[in-house]
Amino acid sequence: MNKLPVLLFIASGCVSGFASAQSGKELFGTYCSGCHGANAEGIEGLAPSLHNPQLWSKLGDKRNQYIAGVVTSGLSGKLVSLDKTYQGFAMPPQSFISSQDLVQITHYVLEDVNQQQGGPDQALIDEYKKKPFTHSELHQLRKGG
C-alpha cells in the first residue's frame, strides 16, 4: 500500500488548519464589532469603547480577570465609560466562542487597541466558562474591588 497519498492528505489538512486561523482582530470583527465598532471605539448608546487605556491600567493585576470575566459572563447594568453612561447596557456572555478564540480577542483588545501587555490565558477563560462571575462581581472588580 502506498502511504504517500495518505501522508499528503494529512499534511494538507494541517497546513490548511494553520492557514484558516484568524487573528484577534479578525475574530473581534466577526464577534464584537457589531456592538463595539470596527476599531473597538464603541457605538454610542449601544456599547462602550474598548479603547480605554486608563481603565485597563487602573485594573492592574485584575485586568485579565476582568476581561476574561466579561467575555465569559457578559455584563449588564449601568456602566460609565469615558464620561459616557450606558444605562440598560446588556452584553450577553460570549462563552459560545472557543476559549482559544476568546484568548485571541482579549489579547487584541488589550495589546493592539490599548497597548497593554498580556491578557488572559486559555486556562483562565476555561475556568470562568465553568464558573462565571455575577455581573455585580464584575462591576465591583471594575471599581477596583
Side-chain angles (χ1 to χ4, degrees):
M1 177 173 154
N2 187 352
K3 295 181 183 178
L4 184 59
V6 172
L7 290 174
L8 288 174
F9 176 76
I10 292 170
S12 69
C14 291
V15 171
S16 68
F18 288 124
S20 68
Q22 290 184 294
S23 71
K25 182 176 185 173
E26 291 167 327
L27 291 163
F28 182 91
T30 299
Y31 295 113
C32 313
S33 65
C35 294
H36 290 285
N39 296 313
E41 295 294 339
I43 296 176
E44 196 160 337
L46 179 61
S49 174
L50 299 177
H51 180 236
N52 189 344
Q54 305 89 332
L55 169 67
W56 303 112
S57 292
K58 180 185 93 172
L59 285 167
D61 64 349
K62 303 286 188 198
R63 178 177 59 227
N64 291 349
Q65 284 180 275
Y66 180 73
I67 196 167
V70 170
V71 298
T72 57
S73 307
L75 188 62
S76 62
K78 182 180 176 182
L79 185 72
V80 178
S81 179
L82 300 173
D83 298 324
K84 294 180 183 163
T85 301
Y86 295 85
Q87 189 73 35
F89 167 76
M91 177 182 155
Q94 303 298 302
S95 54
F96 65 92
I97 301 171
S98 76
S99 296
Q100 191 173 26
D101 286 352
L102 287 174
V103 168
Q104 292 277 79
I105 291 167
T106 56
H107 281 247
Y108 165 72
V109 169
L110 292 174
E111 294 176 352
D112 297 338
V113 175
N114 289 284
Q115 292 72 51
Q116 303 284 321
Q117 289 288 53
D121 60 19
Q122 186 169 337
L124 187 63
I125 299 282
D126 287 339
E127 177 185 336
Y128 291 174
K129 279 184 169 185
K130 290 177 188 164
K131 188 175 185 286
F133 279 92
T134 67
H135 294 188
S136 59
E137 289 171 327
L138 288 169
H139 282 284
Q140 189 63 36
L141 194 58
R142 184 181 176 97
K143 291 177 187 172

